Amino acid sequence: MNKIEKIVYDLALPVVADAGLELWDVEYVTEAGQRYLRVFLDGPDGVDLDDCERVSRALDPILDEADPVPDSYIFEVGSAGCERQLKRPSDFERFIGSAVEVSLYSAADGAKRWIGTLISYDDGGVTIDAGERRTFTKQQIAGVRLHAEF
């Protein structure tokens, strides 16, 4: 998490908690020349549009006052989603036994994408059952997200 994301996370945490929701992540990125500040939510019964609007309206004036982002940006509040990215150790612990997709920087045995059941997480390394047990190191992993089959 970069400095801006950390500041926004700390500002958003009490607002999201007051809404009865969980702050899943904060993302500050540049896409196609535009800067985006995104706040991702989760909740015991999921997140709907009203939840996102309520948090957005409560958080917007706090961000305006604190002014943690030096440039103009597009502010979005949304659900973490069913294929959310796992980043923190607590994310991995929470989803042990769930289907995940592991993306690699370089192919391992001919594939850069592996789908399987999350077995364990250890200091950035991930072990999945993809028909056979596979362990990937922190250095190999570009990202891990939940995998939903439709």
Side-chain angles (χ1 to χ4, degrees), residues 35-120:
R35 289 187 174 82
Y36 292 85
L37 177 62
R38 296 184 176 123
V39 174
F40 296 102
L41 309 174
D42 196 12
D45 299 319
V47 174
D48 63 21
L49 189 57
D50 290 336
D51 294 326
C52 296
E53 182 180 2
R54 192 170 68 249
V55 169
S56 178
R57 288 183 188 276
L59 186 55
D60 193 43
I62 294 168
L63 292 174
D64 284 347
E65 184 177 322
D67 200 22
V69 183
D71 304 303
S72 63
Y73 59 91
I74 297 168
F75 179 49
E76 299 177 342
V77 176
S79 168
C82 64
E83 290 193 327
R84 67 191 65 189
Q85 192 164 13
L86 306 181
K87 295 181 178 180
R88 299 172 297 271
S90 60
D91 299 345
F92 288 91
E93 291 167 16
R94 178 175 174 182
F95 289 103
I96 296 285
S98 298
V100 295
E101 178 181 315
V102 180
S103 299
L104 306 175
Y105 290 113
S106 299
D109 292 334
K112 287 180 73 173
R113 192 182 94 159
W114 289 83
I115 296 172
T117 302
L118 180 61
I119 296 172
S120 68

